[in-house]
Every structure is written in C-alpha cells, then in structure tokens.
Amino acid sequence: MNDKAFAIFAISLVAAIGSLFTVAVATGIAAVPPIAFIVEHVALGLAIRTAYKSFDGSNPVIDFMEFYGWKSAEQAAPPSDAMASAI
C-alpha cells in the first residue's frame, strides 16, 4: 500500500471540504456544523482508514506486542514443495 499517496489524497480531500465549508459559511449559504457532526465524520474516517490498512493482513494488536517485545515475530514457513537450495 502506498501510504504517501494516501496521505496526499487525504490532505487534499480535507482541504477541499474545508474550503467548501468556509465558502458556504462565509457567503451565508450554510451555518457552521455542530461539533457532533465533525466528530462523527472524523470517527468514520478513522474507521475507514483502519479498514484500509487491515487489507494487508496486519493485526494492530500483534504489531503493538511485537513493537514492545512482548511477542516475537513469526517467521513464514517455506512451501512444502520448495527446492532445498531455495530454503
């Protein structure tokens, strides 16, 4: 997964939505959204980001435990039909 591209996309999206809200409020078309609306959308965005990151098969709990040394990283076993020189 390309985290740099995702970060650029996310920042661009947040800037575009922020600009849209700013123009809408400044021109009197809309009012400032309530804080609950903003919190809800931030939570949904983080949930989507978590789902996006989980597609690579990672487990944040296991990653946390491995980072702090509470669990050793598991080594992948070679395929049973692998040649001895490849192992």
Side-chain angles (χ1 to χ4, degrees):
M1 305 285 172
N2 194 340
D3 287 335
K4 190 177 286 189
F6 186 87
I8 292 169
F9 171 73
I11 290 170
S12 300
L13 188 61
V14 168
I17 297 299
S19 298
L20 181 66
F21 278 156
T22 302
V23 169
V25 170
T27 58
I29 296 172
V32 177
I35 193 70
F37 176 82
I38 296 170
V39 169
E40 174 191 13
H41 279 71
V42 167
L44 286 172
L46 291 174
I48 291 169
R49 173 68 173 156
T50 302
Y52 166 80
K53 289 298 285 183
S54 71
F55 287 144
D56 67 354
S58 65
N59 183 337
V61 175
I62 300 297
D63 293 342
F64 177 82
M65 292 172 67
E66 288 174 354
F67 179 78
Y68 284 103
W70 298 342
K71 180 179 182 324
S72 61
E74 297 175 11
Q75 298 295 327
S80 59
D81 59 345
M83 295 177 9
S85 61
I87 297 177

